[in-house]
Amino acid sequence: MNEALLRSLTPSVLGILVRRGADFAAAEDAVQDALVEAVRVWPADLPRDPKGWLVTVAWRRFLDARRADVARRRREDLVDEEPEPGPTPAVDDTLQLYFLCAHPSLTPSSAVALTLRAVGGLTTRQIAQAYLVPEATMAQRISRAKRTVSGVRFDQPGDVATVLRVLYLVFNEGYSGDVDLAAEAIRLTRQLAAAIDHPEVAGLLALMLLHHARRATRTAPDGGLVPLAEQDRGRWDTKSIAEGIGILQAALARDRLGEFQAQAAIAALHADALTAEETDWVQIVEWYDELAALTDSPVVRLNRAVAVGEADGPRAGLAALEAVDASLPRHAAVAAYLHERDGDLATAARLYVEAAQKAPNLAERDYLTRQAARLNARRGR
């Protein structure tokens, strides 16, 4: 079974059902039923037109559900509208669906969560990790969002800021998580940048390109994490870096700074450095200050503490870290790194073990465990 094919077809099929009159929640349920049926049937009999097959099956599932709730006359009207099996137009509805899910009746956070689940293909667990909340809390948020938009006609698209937030989170999960969606997020952001003249859209595209340029060097052949300072910069994608920096410079010149432009500026400073030692950490701290003023994000303050530790020494970094909530994911990892740089190997090793126990994925846990073992071996000599 080609799961990638099913994932790529899902947004378009969902969009077709919505355009034909299905409310979003019912359309999503119908598409999920069609996907289950595809997993059962396709291994033995792959249709010549997979998308048309999914549309036909999903629409029939939608009609079956609707028949239980509407009057006889409406049922007959909907049956007459049932599409005939066959080829369907090759239309990419994904970006439109992102806007439709960012509906004015939803709060921005609920709209983002719903879109990530229904269109982006992320699991509730992945979305919860991105939002730093328990999985049960996120499940309730998504359920409430579905109830809110149930029966709503999607003729009032949401705003650009919410769509950008969704694309950013999809890229982040695709870049480092279980589902490879980074390239898809870049493709959609390119579409958005071509359609909308907005400096934050450009900032997000630049940020994605600059991060994606380093992707091939982020993991070792055995799947282990490779920290930024240890990556082979000769393998970075210089074409993507040049494109990202060019897009960023044009956006910054408009003097309408936003959080994605600030993040892209930090990524550009890393990309500009020929070696880790040549990184301009002083400028990076300044950009983190701008970013903190824009977002007041605890994750930004955590990353700023690392930058301060590089620019002004590990004790300055630890002092900055004291202002960050210790329960924040990766707080222990940052503290371990700064204590190691300050020469306190015992504390650093203990914190690496603590960080490994809280790691969100196996690769990160293994890396932190190896760091702790390395320091304990040094102390034992």
Side-chain angles (χ1 to χ4, degrees), residues 68-371:
D69 300 321
V70 299
R72 180 175 181 276
R73 177 63 59 87
R74 184 58 182 151
R75 290 201 306 269
E76 293 173 352
D77 291 342
L78 288 173
V79 169
D80 290 339
E81 296 170 8
E82 180 179 338
E84 294 296 326
T88 54
V91 178
D92 184 0
D93 300 297
T94 309
L95 189 58
Q96 180 188 11
L97 283 172
Y98 273 63
F99 273 96
L100 292 177
C101 287
H103 196 270
S105 63
L106 296 173
T107 64
S109 61
S110 294
V112 170
L114 177 63
T115 313
L116 290 173
R117 183 71 185 92
V119 188
L122 274 63
T123 66
T124 303
R125 176 182 59 81
Q126 291 168 324
I127 302 169
Q129 289 176 348
Y131 269 93
L132 309 178
V133 299
E135 183 174 350
T137 300
M138 183 53 63
Q140 291 174 355
R141 185 179 300 177
I142 294 172
S143 295
R144 284 196 301 269
K146 288 182 178 180
R147 288 196 299 271
T148 299
V149 300
S150 179
V152 171
R153 291 303 297 264
F154 284 74
D155 54 359
Q156 293 180 282
D159 64 356
V160 174
T162 301
V163 174
L164 288 178
R165 177 63 52 191
V166 175
L167 289 168
Y168 173 68
L169 291 173
V170 169
F171 176 81
N172 278 347
E173 190 59 43
Y175 189 59
S176 61
D178 301 327
V179 181
D180 186 2
L181 293 170
E184 173 68 358
I186 292 175
R187 183 184 71 83
L188 293 174
T189 306
R190 283 191 187 278
Q191 285 187 9
L192 188 58
I196 299 177
D197 183 19
H198 192 296
E200 272 294 83
V201 177
L204 178 58
L205 179 56
L207 176 63
M208 289 179 174
L209 290 170
L210 289 164
H211 279 311
H212 208 62
R214 304 198 302 259
R215 185 173 187 179
T217 64
R218 295 181 71 250
T219 56
D222 63 358
L225 294 182
V226 180
L228 176 61
E230 300 173 17
Q231 291 174 14
D232 181 359
R233 298 178 182 230
R235 294 176 56 210
W236 287 358
D237 183 348
T238 55
K239 182 179 178 182
S240 293
I241 290 173
E243 182 185 5
I245 290 176
I247 292 171
L248 173 63
Q249 289 174 339
L252 291 175
R254 300 178 64 176
D255 198 24
R256 289 169 55 194
L257 184 64
E259 62 174 297
F260 295 122
Q261 295 169 73
Q263 287 190 58
I266 294 169
L269 287 167
H270 284 297
D272 271 341
L274 296 178
T275 66
E277 292 73 24
E278 296 176 70
T279 304
D280 190 342
W281 287 106
V282 173
Q283 271 204 72
I284 289 176
V285 171
E286 293 173 355
W287 276 112
Y288 270 122
D289 289 339
E290 295 278 2
L291 189 56
L294 289 166
T295 67
D296 192 32
S297 163
V299 176
V300 169
R301 293 195 294 273
L302 182 67
N303 292 333
R304 180 185 178 277
V306 177
V308 169
E310 299 290 351
D312 301 325
R315 294 192 180 182
L318 288 168
L321 189 62
E322 289 179 0
V324 182
D325 184 356
S327 66
L328 194 68
R330 297 187 173 90
H331 184 285
V334 170
Y337 173 74
L338 292 171
H339 277 292
E340 179 184 353
R341 289 199 59 224
D342 194 39
D344 187 351
L345 302 188
T347 299
R350 175 179 57 79
L351 287 168
Y352 275 130
V353 171
E354 178 184 332
Q357 293 170 345
K358 299 177 180 178
N361 56 67
L362 181 61
E364 191 169 331
R365 186 186 69 188
D366 289 347
Y367 171 77
L368 293 167
T369 300
R370 287 196 299 269
Q371 294 299 96

